[in-house]
Coordinates of all heavy atoms in Angstrom, one line a residue:
V1 N 18.8 -6.2 -2.7 CA 17.5 -5.9 -2.1 C 17.6 -4.4 -1.7 O 16.6 -3.7 -1.8 CB 17.2 -6.8 -0.9 CG1 16.1 -6.3 -0.1 CG2 17.0 -8.2 -1.3
R2 N 18.7 -4.0 -1.1 CA 18.8 -2.5 -0.7 C 18.6 -1.6 -1.9 O 18.0 -0.6 -1.7 CB 20.2 -2.3 -0.1 CG 20.3 -2.9 1.3 CD 21.6 -2.5 2.0 NE 21.7 -3.1 3.3 CZ 22.7 -3.8 3.7 NH1 23.8 -4.0 2.9 NH2 22.7 -4.4 4.9
E3 N 19.1 -2.0 -3.1 CA 18.9 -1.1 -4.2 C 17.4 -1.1 -4.6 O 17.0 0.0 -5.0 CB 19.8 -1.7 -5.4 CG 21.2 -1.3 -5.3 CD 21.5 0.2 -5.2 OE1 20.9 0.9 -6.1 OE2 22.2 0.6 -4.3
M4 N 16.7 -2.2 -4.5 CA 15.3 -2.2 -4.7 C 14.5 -1.3 -3.8 O 13.7 -0.5 -4.3 CB 14.7 -3.6 -4.7 CG 15.3 -4.6 -5.7 SD 14.8 -4.2 -7.3 CE 13.2 -4.8 -7.3
Y5 N 14.9 -1.3 -2.5 CA 14.2 -0.4 -1.6 C 14.6 1.0 -1.8 O 13.7 1.9 -1.7 CB 14.5 -0.8 -0.1 CG 13.7 -2.0 0.4 CD1 14.3 -3.3 0.6 CD2 12.4 -1.8 0.6 CE1 13.5 -4.3 1.0 CE2 11.6 -2.9 1.1 CZ 12.2 -4.2 1.3 OH 11.4 -5.2 1.7
K6 N 15.8 1.3 -2.2 CA 16.2 2.6 -2.5 C 15.4 3.2 -3.8 O 14.9 4.3 -3.7 CB 17.7 2.7 -2.9 CG 18.2 4.0 -3.2 CD 19.7 4.0 -3.5 CE 20.2 5.4 -3.9 NZ 21.5 5.4 -4.3
K7 N 15.3 2.4 -4.8 CA 14.5 2.8 -5.9 C 13.0 3.0 -5.6 O 12.4 3.9 -6.0 CB 14.6 1.8 -7.1 CG 14.0 2.1 -8.4 CD 14.6 3.4 -8.9 CE 14.0 3.8 -10.3 NZ 14.5 5.0 -10.8
A8 N 12.5 2.1 -4.8 CA 11.1 2.2 -4.3 C 10.9 3.4 -3.6 O 9.9 4.1 -3.7 CB 10.7 1.0 -3.5
S9 N 11.8 3.8 -2.7 CA 11.8 5.1 -2.0 C 11.7 6.3 -2.9 O 10.9 7.2 -2.6 CB 12.9 5.2 -1.0 OG 12.8 4.2 0.0
E10 N 12.5 6.3 -3.9 CA 12.5 7.4 -4.9 C 11.2 7.5 -5.6 O 10.6 8.6 -5.8 CB 13.7 7.2 -5.9 CG 15.1 7.3 -5.3 CD 16.1 6.8 -6.3 OE1 15.8 6.5 -7.4 OE2 17.3 6.7 -5.8
L11 N 10.7 6.3 -6.0 CA 9.4 6.4 -6.7 C 8.2 6.8 -5.8 O 7.3 7.5 -6.2 CB 9.1 5.0 -7.3 CG 10.0 4.6 -8.4 CD1 9.8 3.1 -8.8 CD2 9.8 5.5 -9.6
L12 N 8.2 6.3 -4.5 CA 7.2 6.7 -3.6 C 7.2 8.2 -3.3 O 6.1 8.8 -3.1 CB 7.4 5.9 -2.3 CG 7.0 4.5 -2.3 CD1 7.4 3.8 -1.0 CD2 5.5 4.3 -2.5
A13 N 8.3 8.8 -3.3 CA 8.4 10.2 -3.0 C 7.7 11.0 -4.1 O 7.3 12.2 -3.9 CB 9.9 10.7 -2.9
A14 N 7.6 10.5 -5.3 CA 7.0 11.2 -6.5 C 5.5 10.7 -6.8 O 4.9 11.2 -7.7 CB 7.8 11.0 -7.7
C15 N 5.0 9.8 -6.0 CA 3.7 9.3 -6.3 C 2.6 9.9 -5.5 O 2.8 10.4 -4.4 CB 3.6 7.7 -6.2 SG 3.4 7.1 -4.5
D16 N 1.4 9.9 -6.1 CA 0.2 10.4 -5.4 C -0.5 9.3 -4.6 O -1.1 9.6 -3.5 CB -0.8 11.0 -6.4 CG -0.3 12.2 -7.1 OD1 0.4 13.0 -6.5 OD2 -0.7 12.3 -8.3
V17 N -0.5 8.1 -5.1 CA -1.1 7.0 -4.4 C -0.3 5.7 -4.7 O 0.1 5.6 -5.8 CB -2.6 6.9 -4.8 CG1 -2.8 6.7 -6.2 CG2 -3.3 5.9 -4.0
L18 N -0.2 4.9 -3.7 CA 0.3 3.5 -3.9 C -0.8 2.6 -4.0 O -1.7 2.6 -3.0 CB 1.3 3.2 -2.7 CG 1.8 1.8 -2.7 CD1 2.7 1.6 -3.9 CD2 2.6 1.6 -1.4
V19 N -0.9 1.8 -5.0 CA -2.0 0.8 -5.1 C -1.4 -0.6 -4.9 O -0.5 -1.0 -5.6 CB -2.6 0.9 -6.5 CG1 -3.7 -0.2 -6.7 CG2 -3.1 2.3 -6.8
A20 N -2.0 -1.3 -3.9 CA -1.6 -2.7 -3.6 C -2.7 -3.6 -4.1 O -3.9 -3.5 -3.7 CB -1.4 -2.8 -2.1
I21 N -2.4 -4.4 -5.1 CA -3.4 -5.3 -5.7 C -3.2 -6.8 -5.2 O -2.1 -7.3 -5.5 CB -3.3 -5.2 -7.2 CG1 -3.6 -3.8 -7.6 CG2 -4.3 -6.2 -7.8 CD1 -3.4 -3.5 -9.1
G22 N -4.1 -7.3 -4.4 CA -4.1 -8.7 -4.1 C -3.1 -9.0 -3.1 O -2.7 -10.1 -2.8
Y23 N -2.5 -8.0 -2.4 CA -1.4 -8.3 -1.4 C -2.0 -8.3 0.0 O -2.8 -7.3 0.3 CB -0.3 -7.2 -1.5 CG 0.9 -7.4 -0.7 CD1 1.6 -8.6 -0.8 CD2 1.2 -6.5 0.3 CE1 2.7 -8.8 0.0 CE2 2.3 -6.8 1.2 CZ 3.0 -7.9 1.0 OH 4.1 -8.2 1.8
S24 N -1.7 -9.2 0.8 CA -2.4 -9.4 2.1 C -1.8 -8.6 3.2 O -2.4 -8.5 4.3 CB -2.5 -10.9 2.5 OG -1.2 -11.3 2.8
F25 N -0.6 -8.1 3.0 CA 0.1 -7.4 4.1 C 0.2 -8.3 5.4 O -0.1 -7.8 6.5 CB -0.5 -6.0 4.4 CG -0.3 -5.0 3.3 CD1 -1.2 -4.9 2.3 CD2 0.9 -4.2 3.3 CE1 -1.0 -3.9 1.3 CE2 1.1 -3.3 2.3 CZ 0.2 -3.2 1.3
S26 N 0.5 -9.5 5.2 CA 0.5 -10.5 6.3 C 1.5 -10.0 7.4 O 2.7 -9.5 7.1 CB 1.0 -11.8 5.8 OG 1.4 -12.7 6.9
P27 N 1.1 -10.1 8.6 CA 2.1 -9.7 9.7 C 3.4 -10.4 9.6 O 4.4 -9.9 10.1 CB 1.3 -10.0 11.0 CG -0.1 -10.0 10.6 CD -0.2 -10.5 9.2
H28 N 3.3 -11.7 9.0 CA 4.6 -12.4 8.9 C 5.6 -11.9 7.9 O 6.7 -12.2 7.8 CB 4.2 -13.9 8.5 CG 3.4 -14.5 9.5 ND1 3.8 -14.8 10.8 CD2 2.1 -14.9 9.5 CE1 2.8 -15.4 11.5 NE2 1.8 -15.5 10.7
D29 N 5.0 -10.9 7.1 CA 5.8 -10.3 6.0 C 6.1 -8.8 6.3 O 6.5 -8.1 5.4 CB 5.0 -10.5 4.7 CG 5.9 -10.3 3.4 OD1 7.1 -10.5 3.5 OD2 5.4 -9.9 2.4
C30 N 5.9 -8.4 7.5 CA 6.0 -7.0 7.8 C 7.4 -6.4 7.6 O 7.6 -5.2 7.3 CB 5.5 -6.7 9.2 SG 6.6 -7.3 10.5
A31 N 8.4 -7.3 7.6 CA 9.8 -6.8 7.4 C 9.9 -6.4 5.9 O 10.8 -5.5 5.6 CB 10.8 -7.9 7.7
S32 N 9.1 -6.9 5.0 CA 9.1 -6.5 3.6 C 8.4 -5.2 3.3 O 8.8 -4.4 2.6 CB 8.6 -7.6 2.7 OG 9.4 -8.8 2.8
Y33 N 7.2 -5.1 3.9 CA 6.4 -4.0 3.5 C 6.5 -2.8 4.5 O 6.2 -1.6 4.0 CB 4.9 -4.4 3.4 CG 4.2 -4.7 4.7 CD1 3.7 -3.8 5.6 CD2 3.9 -6.0 4.9 CE1 3.1 -4.2 6.7 CE2 3.2 -6.5 6.1 CZ 2.8 -5.5 6.9 OH 2.1 -5.9 8.1
T34 N 6.9 -2.9 5.7 CA 7.1 -1.8 6.6 C 8.0 -0.7 6.1 O 7.6 0.5 6.2 CB 7.5 -2.3 8.0 OG1 6.4 -3.1 8.5 CG2 7.7 -1.1 9.0
P35 N 9.1 -1.0 5.6 CA 10.0 0.1 5.1 C 9.3 0.9 3.9 O 9.5 2.1 3.8 CB 11.3 -0.6 4.5 CG 11.3 -1.9 5.3 CD 9.9 -2.3 5.5
I36 N 8.6 0.2 3.1 CA 7.9 0.9 2.0 C 6.8 1.8 2.6 O 6.6 2.9 2.1 CB 7.3 -0.2 1.0 CG1 8.4 -0.9 0.3 CG2 6.4 0.5 0.0 CD1 8.1 -2.1 -0.5
L37 N 5.9 1.3 3.5 CA 4.9 2.1 4.1 C 5.4 3.2 4.9 O 4.9 4.3 4.9 CB 3.9 1.2 4.9 CG 3.1 0.2 4.1 CD1 2.1 -0.5 5.0 CD2 2.4 0.9 2.9
R38 N 6.5 3.0 5.6 CA 7.2 4.1 6.4 C 7.6 5.2 5.4 O 7.4 6.4 5.7 CB 8.4 3.6 7.1 CG 9.0 4.6 8.0 CD 10.2 4.0 8.8 NE 9.9 2.8 9.5 CZ 10.6 1.7 9.3 NH1 11.6 1.6 8.5 NH2 10.3 0.6 10.0
T39 N 8.2 4.9 4.3 CA 8.6 5.8 3.3 C 7.4 6.6 2.7 O 7.4 7.8 2.6 CB 9.4 5.2 2.2 OG1 10.6 4.6 2.7 CG2 9.9 6.2 1.1
L40 N 6.4 5.9 2.4 CA 5.1 6.5 1.9 C 4.6 7.5 2.9 O 4.2 8.6 2.6 CB 4.1 5.4 1.6 CG 2.7 5.9 1.1 CD1 2.8 6.6 -0.2 CD2 1.8 4.7 1.1
S41 N 4.7 7.1 4.2 CA 4.1 8.0 5.3 C 4.8 9.3 5.4 O 4.3 10.3 5.9 CB 4.1 7.3 6.6 OG 5.4 7.2 7.1
W42 N 6.0 9.4 4.8 CA 6.8 10.7 4.8 C 6.3 11.7 3.8 O 6.6 12.9 3.8 CB 8.2 10.5 4.7 CG 8.9 9.7 5.7 CD1 8.4 9.5 7.1 CD2 10.0 8.8 5.7 NE1 9.2 8.7 7.8 CE2 10.2 8.3 7.0 CE3 10.9 8.6 4.7 CZ2 11.3 7.4 7.2 CZ3 12.0 7.7 4.9 CH2 12.2 7.1 6.2
S43 N 5.5 11.2 2.8 CA 5.0 12.2 1.7 C 4.0 13.1 2.3 O 3.5 12.9 3.4 CB 4.5 11.3 0.6 OG 3.3 10.8 0.9
S44 N 3.7 14.2 1.6 CA 2.9 15.2 2.0 C 1.4 14.8 2.3 O 0.7 15.2 3.2 CB 2.9 16.4 1.1 OG 2.4 16.1 -0.1
S45 N 0.9 13.9 1.4 CA -0.5 13.3 1.6 C -0.4 11.9 1.2 O -0.9 11.4 0.2 CB -1.5 14.1 0.8 OG -1.1 14.1 -0.6
P46 N 0.1 11.0 2.1 CA 0.3 9.6 1.8 C -1.1 8.9 1.7 O -2.0 9.0 2.6 CB 1.1 9.1 3.0 CG 0.8 10.0 4.1 CD 0.5 11.3 3.5
R47 N -1.2 8.1 0.6 CA -2.5 7.4 0.3 C -2.1 6.0 -0.2 O -1.2 5.8 -1.0 CB -3.3 8.0 -0.7 CG -3.9 9.3 -0.3 CD -4.7 10.0 -1.4 NE -5.7 9.0 -2.0 CZ -6.1 8.9 -3.2 NH1 -5.5 9.6 -4.2 NH2 -7.0 8.0 -3.6
L48 N -2.8 5.0 0.4 CA -2.6 3.6 0.0 C -4.0 3.1 -0.4 O -4.9 3.2 0.5 CB -2.0 2.7 1.2 CG -2.0 1.3 1.0 CD1 -1.0 0.9 -0.2 CD2 -1.5 0.6 2.3
L49 N -4.1 2.5 -1.5 CA -5.3 1.9 -2.0 C -5.1 0.4 -2.1 O -4.2 -0.1 -2.7 CB -5.7 2.4 -3.4 CG -6.9 2.1 -4.1 CD1 -8.1 2.7 -3.3 CD2 -7.0 2.4 -5.5
I50 N -5.9 -0.3 -1.3 CA -5.8 -1.8 -1.2 C -6.9 -2.4 -2.0 O -8.1 -2.2 -1.7 CB -5.8 -2.3 0.2 CG1 -4.7 -1.6 1.0 CG2 -5.7 -3.8 0.2 CD1 -4.8 -1.9 2.5
V51 N -6.6 -3.1 -3.1 CA -7.6 -3.8 -4.0 C -7.5 -5.3 -3.7 O -6.5 -5.9 -4.1 CB -7.3 -3.5 -5.5 CG1 -8.3 -4.2 -6.3 CG2 -7.3 -2.0 -5.7
A52 N -8.4 -5.9 -3.0 CA -8.4 -7.3 -2.7 C -9.8 -7.6 -2.1 O -10.4 -6.7 -1.5 CB -7.4 -7.6 -1.7
P53 N -10.3 -8.8 -2.3 CA -11.6 -9.2 -1.7 C -11.6 -8.9 -0.2 O -12.7 -8.5 0.4 CB -11.7 -10.7 -2.0 CG -10.9 -10.8 -3.2 CD -9.8 -9.9 -3.1
D54 N -10.5 -9.1 0.6 CA -10.5 -8.9 2.0 C -9.8 -7.6 2.4 O -9.3 -7.4 3.5 CB -9.7 -10.1 2.7 CG -8.4 -10.3 2.1 OD1 -8.0 -9.7 1.0 OD2 -7.6 -11.0 2.8
A55 N -10.0 -6.6 1.5 CA -9.3 -5.3 1.7 C -9.7 -4.6 3.0 O -8.9 -3.9 3.6 CB -9.6 -4.4 0.5
A56 N -11.0 -4.7 3.4 CA -11.4 -4.0 4.6 C -10.7 -4.4 5.9 O -10.2 -3.6 6.7 CB -12.9 -4.2 4.8
G57 N -10.5 -5.7 6.0 CA -9.8 -6.2 7.2 C -8.3 -5.9 7.2 O -7.7 -5.5 8.2
I58 N -7.7 -5.9 6.0 CA -6.3 -5.5 5.8 C -6.2 -4.1 6.2 O -5.3 -3.6 6.9 CB -5.8 -5.8 4.4 CG1 -5.9 -7.3 4.1 CG2 -4.4 -5.2 4.1 CD1 -5.7 -7.6 2.5
A59 N -7.0 -3.2 5.6 CA -7.0 -1.7 5.9 C -7.1 -1.5 7.4 O -6.4 -0.6 7.9 CB -8.0 -1.0 5.1
E60 N -8.1 -2.1 8.0 CA -8.3 -1.9 9.5 C -7.0 -2.2 10.3 O -6.7 -1.4 11.1 CB -9.4 -2.8 9.9 CG -9.8 -2.6 11.4 CD -11.0 -3.4 11.8 OE1 -11.9 -3.7 10.9 OE2 -11.0 -3.8 13.0
R61 N -6.3 -3.2 10.0 CA -5.1 -3.5 10.7 C -4.0 -2.5 10.4 O -3.3 -2.0 11.2 CB -4.6 -4.9 10.3 CG -3.4 -5.4 11.0 CD -3.1 -6.9 10.8 NE -3.3 -7.3 9.4 CZ -2.4 -7.1 8.4 NH1 -1.2 -6.4 8.7 NH2 -2.6 -7.6 7.3
L62 N -3.8 -2.1 9.1 CA -2.8 -1.2 8.7 C -3.0 0.2 9.2 O -2.0 0.9 9.5 CB -2.6 -1.2 7.2 CG -2.1 -2.5 6.5 CD1 -2.0 -2.3 5.0 CD2 -0.7 -2.8 7.1
V63 N -4.3 0.6 9.3 CA -4.5 1.9 9.9 C -3.9 2.1 11.3 O -3.4 3.1 11.6 CB -6.0 2.2 9.8 CG1 -6.4 3.4 10.7 CG2 -6.5 2.5 8.4
A64 N -4.1 1.0 12.0 CA -3.5 1.0 13.4 C -2.0 1.1 13.4 O -1.4 1.7 14.2 CB -4.0 -0.2 14.2
E65 N -1.4 0.4 12.4 CA 0.0 0.3 12.3 C 0.7 1.6 11.7 O 1.8 1.9 12.0 CB 0.5 -0.9 11.6 CG 0.1 -2.2 12.2 CD 0.4 -3.4 11.3 OE1 1.0 -3.2 10.2 OE2 -0.1 -4.5 11.6
H66 N -0.1 2.2 10.8 CA 0.5 3.4 10.0 C -0.6 4.5 10.0 O -1.2 4.8 8.9 CB 0.8 2.9 8.6 CG 1.8 1.8 8.6 ND1 3.1 2.0 8.7 CD2 1.7 0.4 8.5 CE1 3.8 0.9 8.7 NE2 2.9 -0.1 8.6
P67 N -0.8 5.2 11.1 CA -1.9 6.2 11.2 C -1.7 7.4 10.3 O -2.7 8.1 10.0 CB -1.9 6.5 12.7 CG -0.5 6.2 13.1 CD -0.1 5.0 12.3
R68 N -0.5 7.7 9.8 CA -0.3 8.9 9.0 C -0.8 8.6 7.5 O -0.9 9.6 6.8 CB 1.2 9.3 8.9 CG 1.6 10.1 10.1 CD 2.9 10.9 9.8 NE 3.3 11.3 8.5 CZ 2.8 12.3 7.8 NH1 1.8 13.0 8.3 NH2 3.2 12.6 6.6
I69 N -1.0 7.4 7.1 CA -1.4 7.0 5.8 C -2.8 6.9 5.6 O -3.5 6.3 6.4 CB -0.7 5.7 5.3 CG1 0.8 5.8 5.4 CG2 -1.1 5.3 3.9 CD1 1.5 4.5 5.1
E70 N -3.4 7.6 4.6 CA -4.8 7.5 4.3 C -5.0 6.1 3.6 O -4.5 6.0 2.4 CB -5.3 8.6 3.5 CG -6.7 8.4 3.0 CD -7.2 9.5 2.0 OE1 -6.5 10.5 1.8 OE2 -8.2 9.2 1.3
I71 N -5.6 5.2 4.2 CA -5.7 3.8 3.6 C -7.1 3.6 3.2 O -8.1 3.7 4.0 CB -5.2 2.8 4.7 CG1 -3.8 3.0 5.0 CG2 -5.5 1.4 4.1 CD1 -3.3 2.1 6.1
K72 N -7.4 3.3 1.9 CA -8.7 3.1 1.4 C -8.8 1.7 0.9 O -8.1 1.3 0.0 CB -8.9 4.1 0.3 CG -10.3 3.9 -0.4 CD -10.6 5.0 -1.4 CE -11.9 4.8 -2.2 NZ -13.1 4.6 -1.4
P73 N -9.7 0.9 1.5 CA -9.9 -0.4 1.0 C -10.9 -0.5 -0.2 O -11.9 0.3 -0.3 CB -10.6 -1.2 2.2 CG -11.3 -0.1 2.9 CD -10.5 1.2 2.7
V74 N -10.6 -1.3 -1.2 CA -11.5 -1.5 -2.3 C -11.7 -3.0 -2.3 O -10.9 -3.8 -2.9 CB -10.9 -1.1 -3.7 CG1 -11.8 -1.3 -4.8 CG2 -10.5 0.4 -3.6
P75 N -12.8 -3.5 -1.6 CA -13.0 -4.9 -1.5 C -13.6 -5.6 -2.7 O -14.8 -5.8 -2.8 CB -14.0 -5.0 -0.3 CG -14.7 -3.7 -0.3 CD -13.7 -2.7 -0.9
T76 N -12.7 -5.8 -3.7 CA -13.2 -6.4 -5.0 C -12.0 -7.2 -5.5 O -10.9 -7.0 -5.1 CB -13.7 -5.4 -5.9 OG1 -14.3 -6.0 -7.0 CG2 -12.6 -4.4 -6.4
R77 N -12.3 -7.9 -6.6 CA -11.2 -8.6 -7.3 C -10.6 -7.6 -8.3 O -11.3 -6.7 -8.7 CB -11.8 -9.8 -8.0 CG -12.4 -10.8 -7.1 CD -13.2 -11.9 -7.8 NE -12.5 -12.4 -9.0 CZ -12.1 -13.7 -9.1 NH1 -12.4 -14.5 -8.1 NH2 -11.5 -14.0 -10.2
F78 N -9.4 -7.9 -8.8 CA -8.7 -7.0 -9.7 C -9.5 -6.8 -11.0 O -9.7 -5.7 -11.4 CB -7.3 -7.7 -10.0 CG -6.6 -6.9 -11.1 CD1 -6.0 -5.6 -10.8 CD2 -6.4 -7.4 -12.3 CE1 -5.3 -4.9 -11.8 CE2 -5.7 -6.7 -13.3 CZ -5.2 -5.5 -13.0
S79 N -10.1 -7.9 -11.6 CA -10.8 -7.7 -12.8 C -12.0 -6.8 -12.6 O -12.4 -6.0 -13.5 CB -11.2 -9.1 -13.3 OG -12.1 -9.8 -12.4
E80 N -12.7 -6.9 -11.5 CA -13.8 -6.0 -11.3 C -13.4 -4.6 -11.1 O -14.1 -3.7 -11.5 CB -14.6 -6.5 -10.0 CG -15.2 -7.9 -10.3 CD -15.7 -8.6 -9.0 OE1 -15.3 -8.1 -7.9 OE2 -16.3 -9.6 -9.1
W81 N -12.3 -4.4 -10.4 CA -11.7 -3.1 -10.2 C -11.4 -2.4 -11.5 O -11.7 -1.3 -11.7 CB -10.5 -3.1 -9.3 CG -9.9 -1.8 -8.9 CD1 -10.4 -0.8 -8.2 CD2 -8.6 -1.4 -9.3 NE1 -9.5 0.2 -8.1 CE2 -8.3 -0.2 -8.7 CE3 -7.5 -2.0 -10.0 CZ2 -7.2 0.6 -8.9 CZ3 -6.3 -1.3 -10.1 CH2 -6.2 0.0 -9.6
V82 N -10.7 -3.2 -12.4 CA -10.4 -2.6 -13.7 C -11.6 -2.4 -14.5 O -11.8 -1.3 -15.1 CB -9.5 -3.6 -14.5 CG1 -9.3 -3.2 -15.9 CG2 -8.1 -3.7 -13.8
G83 N -12.6 -3.3 -14.5 CA -13.8 -3.2 -15.2 C -14.6 -2.0 -14.7 O -15.4 -1.4 -15.5
G84 N -14.5 -1.6 -13.5 CA -15.2 -0.5 -12.9 C -14.5 0.8 -13.1 O -15.0 1.8 -12.6
G85 N -13.4 0.8 -13.9 CA -12.7 2.1 -14.2 C -11.7 2.5 -13.1 O -11.5 3.7 -13.0
F86 N -11.2 1.6 -12.4 CA -10.1 1.9 -11.3 C -10.7 2.8 -10.3 O -10.1 3.8 -10.0 CB -8.9 2.5 -12.0 CG -8.3 1.7 -13.1 CD1 -8.6 2.0 -14.4 CD2 -7.5 0.6 -12.9 CE1 -8.1 1.3 -15.5 CE2 -7.0 -0.2 -13.9 CZ -7.2 0.2 -15.2
P87 N -11.8 2.5 -9.6 CA -12.3 3.4 -8.5 C -11.3 3.5 -7.4 O -10.6 2.6 -7.1 CB -13.6 2.6 -8.1 CG -13.4 1.2 -8.5 CD -12.5 1.2 -9.7
G88 N -11.3 4.7 -6.9 CA -10.3 5.1 -5.8 C -9.1 5.8 -6.3 O -8.4 6.4 -5.5
I89 N -8.9 5.8 -7.6 CA -7.7 6.5 -8.1 C -8.2 7.9 -8.7 O -9.1 8.0 -9.4 CB -7.0 5.7 -9.2 CG1 -6.3 4.5 -8.5 CG2 -5.9 6.6 -9.9 CD1 -5.5 3.6 -9.5

């Protein structure tokens, strides 16, 4: 698991935007996603795009927890997001 987080940190350092598709960021799972979002927040212009039908509620909660990250909700299903040309990227 440590190696996975290490590799994720390396990739996040080089990315423009992290896209989360269909992931709820449940508070019960914060031990899994907090290290990733913390690493993302260290980048020069951290952006998180959340693609999920309930993206607005997820984004509202995460903005409070991770204020350095620009969090953009895309409240739609994956197929609609793809069909629409990947809006937000």
Side-chain angles (χ1 to χ4, degrees):
V1 173
R2 287 187 181 128
E3 284 299 313
M4 295 291 284
Y5 279 108
K6 181 180 177 187
K7 184 63 176 177
S9 293
E10 293 169 6
L11 293 170
L12 285 170
C15 80
D16 294 326
V17 61
L18 175 63
V19 180
I21 299 170
Y23 185 62
S24 68
F25 290 92
S26 168
H28 301 290
D29 198 27
C30 70
S32 295
Y33 68 77
T34 297
I36 293 168
L37 294 183
R38 186 179 310 121
T39 300
L40 178 64
S41 73
W42 297 335
S43 71
S44 59
S45 56
R47 292 180 53 219
L48 173 63
L49 187 70
I50 302 172
V51 180
D54 55 345
I58 296 167
E60 184 177 326
R61 183 173 41 80
L62 289 179
V63 165
E65 296 171 10
H66 302 278
R68 278 199 27 77
I69 301 173
E70 177 189 341
I71 300 174
K72 179 172 173 57
V74 180
T76 191
R77 296 168 49 116
F78 175 72
S79 59
E80 295 164 351
W81 181 66
V82 171
F86 307 98
I89 293 183

